[in-house]
Structures are given as C-alpha cells and as structure tokens.
Amino acid sequence: MCFNLTGGTKMMFLAGLKASECFQAPYFYIEEKAQRLLFFKNPSGEPFAIPAIPIKDMETFFSLHVPNRMIKQNGIIDEKSLEKIQERKNLSNLLYEHCARIIPLYQRINENYAKDKTINICENNLKMFYKNHQVCVNIDGKEIKLRYSEDEDDFRKYIIGGWFEEYIYCELLELLDKQVIYDLRLNMMLGVENTNATQGDKHPIYTELDIAFSDGKNLYEIGRASCRERVS
C-alpha cells in the first residue's frame, strides 16, 4: 500500500501524510508540470520506488479524463488503409511542400467537383486534374499521377485537407516504431454527453481528432488548422 499525495488542498496533503505515517506506508507526490515523480522518505525505512508506467492507448486516456464519453470512430488504421495512405505519400508530400498555393484553391476545387465530380485547375505552373478516379497533379514541373481507388467523395475530402492529415500521419510513423509515441490514430471521432441539452434531447456532441497520439503521459492532437497557421 502507498499514498498518492498529489492534488487536493494543503490540509488534504497533510492528512494523507499523517495517514501514511500511521500505517508506516510509503507516499509520493507527482510534479505535474515537470512530469516527474517526487519520492519522500519511506516511513518504514525500506527502499521504495514507483515505476513510471506509460498510458499507451487513447481509450485509457479518455476513460480517465472524459466521463460518459463514446468513441464513435476509433481512428485505428488497418493494413489495407495504411497501404492506400502510403500509395498517396508522394502526392501528400508534394501538396504539403506547396500548401501555401494549394489552400487558397479549396473553394474552386469544391466548385469544380460539385458540377460533375471532376477537377480541372491550371494556373501559375500548377495543374490539378481529376476524373473517374484518375489523378494528375503537376506543380512547377513535378508531376504525380495515380489512381484514387476509394469513393470519389473521399478524393474531394483528401484534396481539400485530408492530404495534410496523411502527411503528418506518415511523418509520425517513425516515432511510433521507436516507441517515442504510442497509439497513433487518424480521424478519431469522440462523442460526449450534451449537458446543456433540453430534457429528452440526449444526442451527444461529437468532435473529430484529426490525428491523436500519446507520449505515455500526455494526449496530443494535431488538426488541419496547423497547416493554415504555417501559411499565415
């Protein structure tokens, strides 16, 4: 048995300290900002240490910090989906390299696509063509062609921002392999109870985490706004 003296008031801290002394049990305090454990003298005089065990999965984080949460979409990328992302990696890299020129075109891309599910844009050494799953992007003479085998609506989502999520996801895979980060997720959908809802309206509030992962101590989320901030 040991006592965790972290959090609470000073009186609660002193009460916990007194209780640990009464039971001759070890106690510890977590310095949250520095993310380290501070160990005090064990009243029994025996050596004592607490291993820092990382929290490696999103579900544990949310169960600890978000009560009444519901995971609508877990964001786990299966092998087939990962293959598709890697097939588009060169295109995602090219779009990221020129994102300052791509993002202003989002409205035109949507307008093009809304007419007949095609995209045909050509300006300032930038060409973008899409029809019947065939993709061709040429920026400053660097051309990438591929067949986008998913649903056509998925390509529209990809070309107006999904590429950024896939680019970052691929960049983080190396850190995942080295276990610097844990449990990398893409497009995770989380629902929480709507506490402001009127009686009888129990529809949860949903939020999407574009990219989520942990380092074992903290939960991190990266969204598309990051690319817009880079441009501005």
Side-chain angles (χ1 to χ4, degrees), residues 188-210:
M188 188 176 188
M189 188 75 73
L190 181 70
V192 294
E193 183 181 352
N194 186 358
T195 57
N196 295 323
T198 58
Q199 189 173 5
D201 181 9
K202 297 189 179 296
H203 289 79
I205 299 174
Y206 290 103
T207 183
E208 184 176 13
L209 307 179
D210 292 339

Side-chain angles (χ1 to χ4, degrees), residues 46 77 134-135 156 166 171 200 232:
E46 298 176 359
I77 300 300
Q134 300 299 322
V135 182
R156 184 191 65 83
E166 293 189 9
E171 291 292 298
S232 61

